[in-house]
Amino acid sequence: MRDDSLLEVFLFESQQLLDNLEGLLLEGEKNSSLDSGQVDEVFRIMHTIKGSSSMMSFDNLYRISHSVEDLFSRIRDLGDRCPDWNGIFNMVLSAVDFIKLELSKLQSGGQADRDPADIISGIEEFVKEMPGADGAEKKAAASAAAQPPAGAEAPEPAGCRPCYKIKVQFDDGCQMEQIRALGIVKALEKLCVKIVHQPDDLESEASREAIVSGGFTLYVQSGENPDTLKKVLAETLFLRNSSVIPLEDDNDELPEQLRAHRPAAESAAKPGAVPSGQESIVRQNFISVNVNKLDSLLDLVGELVTTEAMVTKNPDLAGLQLSNFETASRQLKNLTSELQGIVMSIRMLPLSTVFHKMQRIVRDTSKKLSKKVDLVLIGEETEVDKNIIDNLSDPLMHLIRNSVDHGIETPAERLRKGKPETGRVTLEAKNVGEDVVITVSDDGAGLDRAAILKKAVEKGLMEKADGGVADKALFSCIFLPGFSTKESVTEFSGRGVGMDVVHKSVEKLGGSIFVESRPGQGTVFTIRIPLTLAIVDGMRLIVGPLSFIVPMVAIREAFVPDAKDVFIDPDGNEMIMIRGECYPILRLYEFFGINSAITDIADGILVLIESDSSTLCIFVDKLIGEQQVVVKPFPEYIQKIASNLDGVSGCTILGDGRISLIINVNNLLRK
Amino acid sequence: MAKVLIVDDAAFMRISIKNSLSKNGFDVVGEAENGAVAVEKYRELSPDIVTMDITMPVMGGLDALKAIIGMDPGARVIMVSAMGQEAIVRDAVLSGARGFIVKPFKEDGLLSALNKLS
C-alpha cells in the first residue's frame, strides 16, 4: 500500500519515533542502563517502525528494526539480570543513525537501499553473547493459551449424531496457519459433540507446514444442520477453499473416537488470564493539521489585515466625521488583531525538539574528541514559528560542534587552567520583545584574537596594523565565507564553511547573529530572530516616488535635522551629532539610486535606526505614519535577476494598492 | 455499510487502513491509539467490526479484545499482528477474536478479511 501521502505520514511518524528513541537512549546512557519501562518503550518503538516499514515494503528498514526489536525482546526476557549495557547504546544508536539516513533519503525522493547487514550482524553477535533467557520469564508464554483440544467434547448423551469430514485450505502466505486452524476448531466446538483433527498438534512449526502443504482436516460429530457448519467456514478469514462431506458412522475413514463414541478427554482449560496493566489515560486535546493549511490560513489572515486597512483608512473617507463608523472600525481592527495573534500562535512550537537534538551532537562530538562536555538547556519551552524550528537546527548544530571542537579544551588542559574537567556548553532561548534570542555559549578558551586578525589580514580584510580594531568588528569576520583559523580540516570543522552557512541561515530567517568572547573564559554566540516575518509593525516613509516601510522595532527616533549638527568625518563619511553621540548618515536616495527632489539635509527627515551591529541615521523625504503590513517575500524572478537585495527584506501591498519595499536594517550597512 | 473501529498506536497504520477501507465501502466510524481508548470507543460507537493492533501502550490489543468481548460477546474483532506474535494471537483466537491478519499485508487481504465478516 504505497502512495505519496502515506509516505509522508510514514516519514513523519517514524522520524518522531526515532527522536523519542534517541532521547531515551541518551538518557539511559547517562545512567548506564535502561529500566524495564524504558526497555519496553524501546521495544515498542522498534516494533512500530518494523511494522510500518514492512507495510511500505522498505525491506532494509524492516530488517534492521526487527533486529533491534529482537535484541530488546531478549533484554526483556532477562528479567532482573542485566545485559552488558555499554555495548548496547552505541550499537542501537548506530542503528538509529542508519534508519535516520534512509528516512532522509526517502524524504528527498531517493530510495532506501543501503544494506544494514553490518549493523545487524553486530547485533546478532551481541545477542549470542547474552546470558540465556529465563524460560519462565517469557511473558508471552505465561499468557499463552492452554493446550488446544486434540478432541473436544460437549457433555452430551451418547447417541448417533451425524459425522462430517471437513477439509479446508488457507490462502497462500496468510501466515500462522496452525492458529487459524485452531480458530476453526474453537468456532466449531459449540456446534459439535466431538472433533478430531489432523494434524493433531496445532502448536508447532511442523504442524503449520503440514497444514500449508496438505490442508487442515477435521472429523466432527454434530447434530447441527451442516449449513450451520458451513457458515462457520464462510466466516473464517483467509480460507481458500473448504468442503463439508457427511460420512456414515461406519465409514472406514472416520477416526476411532467418532466411530466408537468413546468419552473423550476433558476439554481444555481456559486460557490463563493476563493481568491488564491499566494505567491512567492522559487524554491529549491535540489534532494534527497539515502545515499547508496553516500556511494558507496565515496568508488569508494577512490579506484580511491589509484589506481591513483598505477599508478603515480608505481615501474616500478622508475628512468625513464618522463617529459610528470609527467605533465599528476600531472593533474590526481589534478582532482582526486577535485573529492574527491566534493564527500565528497556531504555528508556534516549543524549541525543545531542536534543543534536544543537540544532546546527541554534544555526546558524539565530545566522545570522538575525547573531551568531557555537558550541555545545559535553558528556555526550551520558548515557542517559535515552525519555519524557524525547521531552519534552525542546522545552524545550531554547527555552532555547538564548533564550541566542542574549538572552544572547549581537553580535560587535561582545563585542569591545568584551573577549570573543572568537564566543559559546559549552554544553549538558551528567551523572548525579547518581538524577537526570540538564542545564545550558544561555552566556558572554553574563547576566540583566538591573534589568529583571527592574522587571517583577516591574510584575506585582505584588514590593514596590518592592529590599530585597536574593536572585537565586535574583528570577530564578525568569522562569519565570512571561507574564513577559518583552524590549520587542518577535521571531520567537524575547519573548512570555513560552517560559520558562513550559519550566518546565511540566520539571515534567511530574517534574523542576525553576532559573537562575543573573552580569552580563556569562553565564547557566546547570540542569534536574534523575529518571531514572525509575516506581519510587521512599520513606519511608512517616502523617498522620491518610492514608498518604504521600516520596522518600528528598529526605530529609535525620527527628527528634522539641523544642518549645523552635520559634519564630515576624516574618512569622508557624513555624520551627525546627537546629544553628544556620533552616528553615520545614510542617504537612502543615494543608497538605492533613487531620483529624489529632496537632497538638502534640511529639507528631509532623519530616522535613527538600530540594528544588532550598529546604529545609524537614514535620510528620507518624509514620514507618512505607522502601518501594520503583511510582508511578502520577493517574487522569484526578482530574486533571480537582482544582483543583491541588500537593504530590503521583502515587499508589501499597501491599503491603496501601491507596493512598498521593506527595509532590512541589518544589512543596510553592507554596501 | 459496515461500521469499523480502527485500533493501532501508529498513526501510519491507522491512516493506511482507513484509506483502504473508506475507498472500499466501509464506514470508518472511529480510531483509537491504545486498548483503553478502544474499549471506550467501542462502547460509544458500537461498530460492526474492530481491527485491533496487538502491541500498544497503556493497554494492549489482547486485553482490549477480552474487555470488548466481555461487554459484547458478539463483537467482531480482527487482530492485526506482526510475525513472531504467535502466542498472543493464539490467546486472542481462543478468547474470541474472529480472526487475524499478519503484517505486512496487502490491501486485498485486508478487504477480503473484513468483507467476510460484514
Side-chain angles (χ1 to χ4, degrees), chain A residues 340-359:
Chain A
Q340 174 195 337
I342 292 181
V343 171
M344 290 191 333
S345 76
I346 291 181
R347 284 178 50 104
M348 307 268 272
L349 293 170
L351 277 166
S352 31
T353 36
V354 178
F355 275 22
H356 281 275
K357 267 193 200 176
M358 302 301 140
Q359 295 277 20

Tab-separated table of all heavy atoms in Angstrom, chain A residues 340-359:
chain	number	residue	atom	x	y	z
A	340	GLN	N	-5.324	37.432	14.102
A	340	GLN	CA	-3.943	37.337	13.641
A	340	GLN	C	-3.055	36.721	14.707
A	340	GLN	O	-2.247	35.842	14.433
A	340	GLN	CB	-3.485	38.746	13.290
A	340	GLN	CG	-2.050	38.892	12.934
A	340	GLN	CD	-1.681	40.372	12.983
A	340	GLN	OE1	-2.528	41.250	12.869
A	340	GLN	NE2	-0.416	40.632	13.184
A	341	GLY	N	-3.220	37.178	15.939
A	341	GLY	CA	-2.408	36.651	17.027
A	341	GLY	C	-2.605	35.165	17.216
A	341	GLY	O	-1.651	34.401	17.370
A	342	ILE	N	-3.853	34.734	17.161
A	342	ILE	CA	-4.120	33.320	17.388
A	342	ILE	C	-3.584	32.466	16.248
A	342	ILE	O	-2.982	31.419	16.463
A	342	ILE	CB	-5.635	33.082	17.553
A	342	ILE	CG1	-6.089	33.728	18.852
A	342	ILE	CG2	-5.945	31.596	17.558
A	342	ILE	CD1	-7.539	33.556	19.146
A	343	VAL	N	-3.789	32.922	15.027
A	343	VAL	CA	-3.306	32.132	13.894
A	343	VAL	C	-1.794	31.994	13.935
A	343	VAL	O	-1.237	30.925	13.684
A	343	VAL	CB	-3.754	32.764	12.557
A	343	VAL	CG1	-3.067	32.088	11.395
A	343	VAL	CG2	-5.246	32.633	12.409
A	344	MET	N	-1.127	33.080	14.282
A	344	MET	CA	0.331	32.992	14.362
A	344	MET	C	0.748	32.031	15.453
A	344	MET	O	1.713	31.290	15.315
A	344	MET	CB	0.934	34.375	14.582
A	344	MET	CG	0.773	35.188	13.331
A	344	MET	SD	1.659	36.755	13.182
A	344	MET	CE	1.892	37.320	14.803
A	345	SER	N	-0.017	32.008	16.543
A	345	SER	CA	0.367	31.129	17.639
A	345	SER	C	0.129	29.661	17.294
A	345	SER	O	0.759	28.769	17.860
A	345	SER	CB	-0.400	31.495	18.911
A	345	SER	OG	-1.730	31.022	18.828
A	346	ILE	N	-0.758	29.388	16.347
A	346	ILE	CA	-1.006	28.000	15.972
A	346	ILE	C	0.249	27.388	15.374
A	346	ILE	O	0.548	26.220	15.569
A	346	ILE	CB	-2.157	27.906	14.945
A	346	ILE	CG1	-3.476	28.264	15.600
A	346	ILE	CG2	-2.252	26.502	14.370
A	346	ILE	CD1	-4.649	28.180	14.658
A	347	ARG	N	0.986	28.208	14.663
A	347	ARG	CA	2.172	27.665	14.022
A	347	ARG	C	3.355	27.608	14.963
A	347	ARG	O	4.432	27.211	14.574
A	347	ARG	CB	2.535	28.527	12.810
A	347	ARG	CG	1.648	28.309	11.604
A	347	ARG	CD	2.068	29.249	10.508
A	347	ARG	NE	3.496	29.176	10.289
A	347	ARG	CZ	4.063	28.553	9.266
A	347	ARG	NH1	3.294	27.937	8.394
A	347	ARG	NH2	5.363	28.548	9.128
A	348	MET	N	3.147	28.033	16.191
A	348	MET	CA	4.279	28.083	17.107
A	348	MET	C	4.488	26.745	17.786
A	348	MET	O	3.537	26.096	18.211
A	348	MET	CB	4.028	29.146	18.187
A	348	MET	CG	3.687	30.496	17.622
A	348	MET	SD	5.131	31.505	17.412
A	348	MET	CE	5.204	32.269	19.007
A	349	LEU	N	5.744	26.363	17.888
A	349	LEU	CA	6.096	25.129	18.562
A	349	LEU	C	7.240	25.414	19.519
A	349	LEU	O	8.045	26.306	19.264
A	349	LEU	CB	6.588	24.095	17.536
A	349	LEU	CG	5.564	23.580	16.536
A	349	LEU	CD1	6.280	22.788	15.465
A	349	LEU	CD2	4.553	22.717	17.250
A	350	PRO	N	7.345	24.669	20.598
A	350	PRO	CA	8.476	24.910	21.501
A	350	PRO	C	9.787	24.483	20.860
A	350	PRO	O	9.811	23.575	20.028
A	350	PRO	CB	8.145	24.035	22.723
A	350	PRO	CG	7.204	23.026	22.242
A	350	PRO	CD	6.461	23.600	21.068
A	351	LEU	N	10.844	25.124	21.269
A	351	LEU	CA	12.166	24.825	20.715
A	351	LEU	C	12.732	23.501	21.226
A	351	LEU	O	13.799	23.074	20.813
A	351	LEU	CB	13.152	25.948	21.078
A	351	LEU	CG	13.120	27.160	20.166
A	351	LEU	CD1	13.859	28.320	20.809
A	351	LEU	CD2	13.747	26.829	18.830
A	352	SER	N	12.001	22.856	22.148
A	352	SER	CA	12.603	21.677	22.782
A	352	SER	C	13.045	20.596	21.810
A	352	SER	O	14.086	19.978	22.018
A	352	SER	CB	11.682	21.078	23.845
A	352	SER	OG	10.345	21.275	23.513
A	353	THR	N	12.281	20.374	20.725
A	353	THR	CA	12.726	19.304	19.814
A	353	THR	C	14.093	19.624	19.243
A	353	THR	O	14.977	18.763	19.174
A	353	THR	CB	11.773	19.112	18.626
A	353	THR	OG1	11.267	20.395	18.238
A	353	THR	CG2	10.630	18.216	18.996
A	354	VAL	N	14.279	20.881	18.845
A	354	VAL	CA	15.575	21.266	18.285
A	354	VAL	C	16.656	21.156	19.349
A	354	VAL	O	17.744	20.623	19.129
A	354	VAL	CB	15.532	22.708	17.757
A	354	VAL	CG1	16.866	23.126	17.234
A	354	VAL	CG2	14.486	22.818	16.672
A	355	PHE	N	16.359	21.660	20.531
A	355	PHE	CA	17.345	21.655	21.606
A	355	PHE	C	17.775	20.237	21.966
A	355	PHE	O	18.947	19.961	22.189
A	355	PHE	CB	16.772	22.374	22.838
A	355	PHE	CG	16.950	23.867	22.789
A	355	PHE	CD1	17.134	24.525	21.590
A	355	PHE	CD2	16.947	24.621	23.956
A	355	PHE	CE1	17.297	25.901	21.538
A	355	PHE	CE2	17.109	26.003	23.921
A	355	PHE	CZ	17.285	26.640	22.719
A	356	HIS	N	16.806	19.349	22.026
A	356	HIS	CA	17.170	18.006	22.463
A	356	HIS	C	18.014	17.266	21.438
A	356	HIS	O	18.806	16.398	21.790
A	356	HIS	CB	15.920	17.214	22.848
A	356	HIS	CG	15.430	17.581	24.207
A	356	HIS	ND1	15.927	17.008	25.357
A	356	HIS	CD2	14.542	18.506	24.614
A	356	HIS	CE1	15.337	17.560	26.402
A	356	HIS	NE2	14.494	18.468	25.978
A	357	LYS	N	17.836	17.644	20.172
A	357	LYS	CA	18.687	17.031	19.148
A	357	LYS	C	20.145	17.292	19.461
A	357	LYS	O	21.030	16.513	19.109
A	357	LYS	CB	18.395	17.670	17.795
A	357	LYS	CG	17.388	16.978	16.967
A	357	LYS	CD	17.456	17.554	15.566
A	357	LYS	CE	16.186	17.280	14.809
A	357	LYS	NZ	16.184	17.897	13.514
A	358	MET	N	20.401	18.455	20.081
A	358	MET	CA	21.783	18.858	20.331
A	358	MET	C	22.476	17.954	21.337
A	358	MET	O	23.702	17.871	21.351
A	358	MET	CB	21.826	20.317	20.807
A	358	MET	CG	21.206	21.274	19.815
A	358	MET	SD	22.020	21.209	18.210
A	358	MET	CE	20.630	21.319	17.116
A	359	GLN	N	21.695	17.285	22.158
A	359	GLN	CA	22.306	16.389	23.136
A	359	GLN	C	23.157	15.352	22.421
A	359	GLN	O	24.264	15.005	22.823
A	359	GLN	CB	21.213	15.649	23.930
A	359	GLN	CG	20.354	16.543	24.781
A	359	GLN	CD	20.997	16.856	26.110
A	359	GLN	OE1	22.212	16.720	26.280
A	359	GLN	NE2	20.211	17.307	27.055
